[in-house]
Amino acid sequence: MTLTRTITVAAGVFAPGHLGELTRVVPFELVDAVLEETGARERRLRLLPSRAGVYFVLALGLFPRPGYLGVWAKLTAALDGLGLAVPSSRALRDLRRRIGIAPVKALFETLAGPLGRPRTPGVMFGRYRTVAFDGCRSLKVPDTPRNRAWLGKMKASLGETGYPVIQLMTLVETGTRALIGAAFGTTADGELDGARKLLHLLDATMLVLLDRGFDAGEFLAGVTAAKAQFLVRLSSVRRPPVLGRLPDGSVLSVIGGVMVGIIEASVTVTCHDGTRYGGPYRLATTLLDHRAYPAEVLIALYHERWEHEITYLALRHTLLQGRVLRSGDPAGLEQEMWALLALYQALRIAVTDAIETMPGTDPDRASYQIAAETAQTLITGARNVTGENGDLAGDIGRAVLASLHRPRRPRVCARRVKSPLSRWNKHPPGKPRTNLKITSVTTVISQYRDEKRTRRRRSLTPTPGP
């Protein structure tokens, strides 16, 4: 049997510039536009044009194991007979330097944004789109003098960590795990500094889910100034004053000059073998209508914040495969990071578009791993570069829809930490050490008391004499 395929790519020296079927998400016109806008387009036609360089940098993120020549071979594997240039590693390195950071950053900012529709399961809470801030400190970079001069090294209990790391902060749509914005820098900057750079991306349609590290009054005031609502878990040391009590057990208070409702509850998880564990939760929210947003419903909604962790799982393990980044200097690292984020978002767009063809399907059931592996195959074969055949789903979409996960089961996943330097190396007290099925989750709303102020009043009360 003889199979014949027709491959459509750009002409001449632009032919290696593609991402297989992902080229539909990142088309030639878009790449040319960001190159023109940032002034990175070549003045004369070269054997390695800037457009091909942008696609090459994106492909580096999809193939983390091969070197420069190996990735270039992936892009040109199906283009035999076109008389294309065979560059050296140094030529490809110079191509990266000639492109610079600006075009790749502009490409990510163009692709970034929420992807879910209002009727997509898990995207909306009432009339609000749920989003979340969170940071990541596990993206390792080569231990070179220039990288150390920029990033330094994180402290550990026995000294310093092995590799410098980049601190990444992202704003994510929890329903689809799409990136709305990103910022990165050194670990000395702190998560709040990175999150403040993304506040301008919030709007009145969003409900922001925040962990305990984001309960600073100034930051919450910035979220409110962006006209977004928030639901944040408060740290144990924060005790806002009680200004009034609501029928659902929550209280009115003020944080950072913002009127909030505070919910204190105890959550207990019961597993099928009888194991029980849990802990206290204290949440603050700007959703003050206790009839429309009862306390128990908000406690359950807060769990959606953990969808953000799956975003970082896809970045670190699915795309990077746990490997260290390539670049040995800060400029190369910045370019590589923006390219990795743009590639992640392009794949997420392809996955979400496929899920939208089956109304009522939860995006949680889509496999990002299958989407990435299919995209790798299509790049090597230079297939479906253009959408001239009118196929809207594409091979990536069909592969994702053919291997949907089952609806998510309530279960406990045991924490397994390999690195002894991790701050999570100790097992949480009471949590099972094996994966167990959850049979019930019990939430008990308790009465919030301003203990700090109560103690202060008692200390000011004069004690009677003997």
Side-chain angles (χ1 to χ4, degrees), residues 17-83:
H18 69 89
L19 279 181
E21 191 173 275
L22 285 180
T23 313
R24 303 182 188 182
V25 183
V26 190
F28 303 143
E29 297 81 5
L30 175 58
V31 175
D32 289 341
V34 296
L35 288 170
E36 190 70 32
E37 179 184 350
T38 56
R41 183 191 289 273
E42 66 277 348
R43 296 184 179 180
R44 59 181 177 84
L45 188 60
R46 300 169 178 263
L47 293 178
L48 297 177
S50 298
R51 183 207 288 177
V54 172
Y55 285 110
F56 171 71
V57 173
L58 294 173
L60 291 176
L62 200 56
F63 299 99
R65 293 183 180 274
Y68 281 2
L69 295 181
V71 175
W72 186 262
K74 299 285 187 182
L75 293 173
T76 59
L79 306 181
D80 294 339
L82 297 184

Side-chain angles (χ1 to χ4, degrees), residues 118-274:
R119 294 185 179 181
T120 303
V123 170
M124 306 295 293
F125 176 72
R127 60 189 181 92
Y128 297 106
R129 184 185 301 271
T130 56
V131 301
F133 283 106
D134 202 7
C136 174
R137 292 186 175 186
S138 54
L139 295 175
K140 300 177 182 179
V141 307
D143 191 4
T144 63
R146 284 178 290 182
N147 286 346
R148 287 197 304 271
W150 176 37
L151 298 171
K153 282 193 174 184
M154 294 179 62
K155 300 296 182 181
S157 57
L158 300 179
E160 295 180 339
T161 55
Y163 289 95
V165 298
I166 285 181
Q167 177 164 281
L168 173 64
M169 172 59 60
T170 57
L171 176 63
V172 166
E173 181 185 35
T174 59
T176 62
R177 303 162 196 159
L179 296 176
I180 301 175
F184 52 85
T186 69
T187 55
D189 295 337
E191 290 187 337
L192 281 179
D193 291 339
R196 289 190 185 98
K197 298 176 183 178
L198 305 177
L199 286 177
H200 67 281
L201 299 173
L202 300 176
D203 58 43
T205 66
M206 296 181 179
L207 170 60
V208 189
L209 308 179
L210 301 164
D211 200 5
R212 285 173 287 192
F214 299 89
D215 64 345
E218 180 184 356
F219 178 76
L220 296 180
V223 174
T224 305
K227 300 183 179 181
Q229 308 294 328
F230 65 76
L231 177 64
V232 58
R233 186 177 181 184
L234 301 179
S235 59
S236 58
V237 298
R238 182 178 286 279
R239 288 282 181 175
V242 177
L243 303 182
R245 298 190 179 276
L246 300 176
D248 64 346
S250 61
V251 301
L252 294 177
S253 185
V254 173
I255 299 179
V258 179
M259 181 67 70
V260 298
I262 297 181
I263 306 167
E264 185 151 2
S266 176
V267 179
T268 303
V269 177
T270 303
C271 302
H272 75 279
D273 65 345

Side-chain angles (χ1 to χ4, degrees), residues 411-429:
R411 59 176 179 163
V412 177
C413 292
R415 175 178 291 170
R416 292 182 175 86
V417 180
K418 301 296 184 181
S419 174
L421 301 178
S422 171
R423 57 176 176 168
W424 310 112
N425 58 350
K426 295 182 180 179
H427 194 80

